[in-house]
Amino acid sequence: MLNVLTHGDPSHPKLLIAHGLYGSARNWGVIAKRLSDQYFVVCPDMRNHGASPWHDTHNYFDLADDLAELLDQPTFVVGHSMGGKAAMVLALKYPHLINKLVVADIAPVTYTHSQTQHIDAMRAVDLSGVERRSQAGESLDPEVRDFLLQSLDVKEKRWTLNLDVLEAEMPKIVGFPDLDGAFEGPTLFLSGADSDYVTRDYRTVIKDLFPASRFAKLPGAGHWLHAQKPREFEAALRAFLT
């Protein structure tokens, strides 16, 4: 069972938020707390991340099954990047568990880029003498430094990421599995206007799998749209979910 952080009253409608690669439930704390006025927000650490169990596999069927274990009724589901792909597979495999689906800045396609350079950078950090997160960030990519450092346990001198498995499974993470059928429920593909993760060329395959999908972009935001434009992201979620 995944480690989860919850916010709000359990009697409210449930909202599940699935984070992206190298992320954690903590990344969503501010938005989750603000949304907890209307929803019971459940933020899991995905497998091989945070305080959740480590496994030898990291594919979207497994990630979707992990999320399904947290749901016992139709639920609002939001997923960003890797979490968005997991949420899409969840909706395609278990449509009865989804009320509405929001996919943040990702498409159900295979991308050509890899994210292993961040694994190399994290491995290269000598954690033995690190007393503060800022010390470990000197050699990390400035664009994602603060984000990656949230997965550093300074006290234990370790990353809370299963770097070996994430590296081995990277082709599956940047890919997307072949699935039959479609999710007919309301779906919003919410993207950063400055991001190239969801292009018009992908809309055909999106519509095949999610025929009721709608599209929106947040001006001034890139791939990390929820961190770059948190209030606008929150407003878009509220408008769609209600």
Side-chain angles (χ1 to χ4, degrees), residues 60 85 88 106-114 169-178 196-197 199 202 205-206 209:
Y60 288 114
K85 285 188 171 182
M88 285 188 277
I106 203 73
V109 300
T110 295
Y111 292 89
T112 57
H113 65 265
S114 176
E169 297 281 66
M170 190 61 66
K172 296 175 184 175
I173 295 171
V174 299
F176 193 79
D178 291 328
D196 60 359
Y197 274 71
T199 67
Y202 297 151
V205 66
I206 289 173
L209 294 172

Side-chain angles (χ1 to χ4, degrees), residues 27-127:
N27 299 152
W28 289 87
V30 173
I31 289 177
K33 288 174 183 176
R34 290 184 58 83
L35 290 169
S36 67
D37 64 334
Q38 287 184 279
Y39 303 96
F40 178 56
V41 186
V42 177
C43 297
D45 287 330
M46 306 293 274
R47 66 167 53 202
N48 298 314
H49 291 70
S52 282
W54 286 14
H55 297 271
D56 292 334
T57 62
H58 198 90
N59 63 71
Y60 288 114
F61 294 115
D62 289 341
L63 268 64
D65 289 345
D66 291 344
L67 295 178
E69 290 184 8
L70 302 176
L71 308 181
D72 56 5
Q73 59 186 334
T75 301
F76 297 108
V77 175
V78 177
H80 171 250
S81 198
M82 176 194 77
K85 285 188 171 182
M88 285 188 277
V89 175
L90 174 69
L92 291 166
K93 285 190 67 178
Y94 307 104
H96 63 285
L97 293 177
I98 310 295
N99 190 334
K100 291 184 178 182
L101 174 65
V102 179
V103 180
D105 210 65
I106 203 73
V109 300
T110 295
Y111 292 89
T112 57
H113 65 265
S114 176
Q115 299 293 337
T116 55
Q117 74 274 15
H118 300 306
I119 293 178
D120 294 337
M122 284 184 278
R123 281 182 175 147
V125 177
D126 181 3
L127 297 178

Side-chain angles (χ1 to χ4, degrees), residues 214-237:
R214 297 163 57 187
F215 300 88
K217 291 184 178 293
L218 293 185
H223 183 59
W224 308 101
L225 65 173
H226 60 292
Q228 295 160 338
K229 296 290 182 179
R231 291 300 181 92
E232 293 85 348
F233 185 88
E234 175 197 340
L237 289 191

Side-chain angles (χ1 to χ4, degrees), residues 120-171:
D120 294 337
M122 284 184 278
R123 281 182 175 147
V125 177
D126 181 3
L127 297 178
S128 60
V130 170
E131 301 297 333
R132 301 184 307 277
R133 282 198 174 97
S134 58
Q135 293 176 285
E138 296 172 358
S139 60
L140 300 178
D141 182 345
E143 185 177 1
V144 295
R145 176 189 298 142
D146 292 342
F147 170 72
L148 294 178
L149 288 176
Q150 291 188 51
S151 292
L152 174 61
D153 185 335
V154 175
K155 182 179 179 181
E156 298 295 329
K157 312 288 188 196
R158 62 184 287 270
W159 296 99
T160 60
L161 301 164
N162 190 346
L163 298 180
D164 291 344
V165 167
L166 294 177
E167 180 180 48
E169 297 281 66
M170 190 61 66

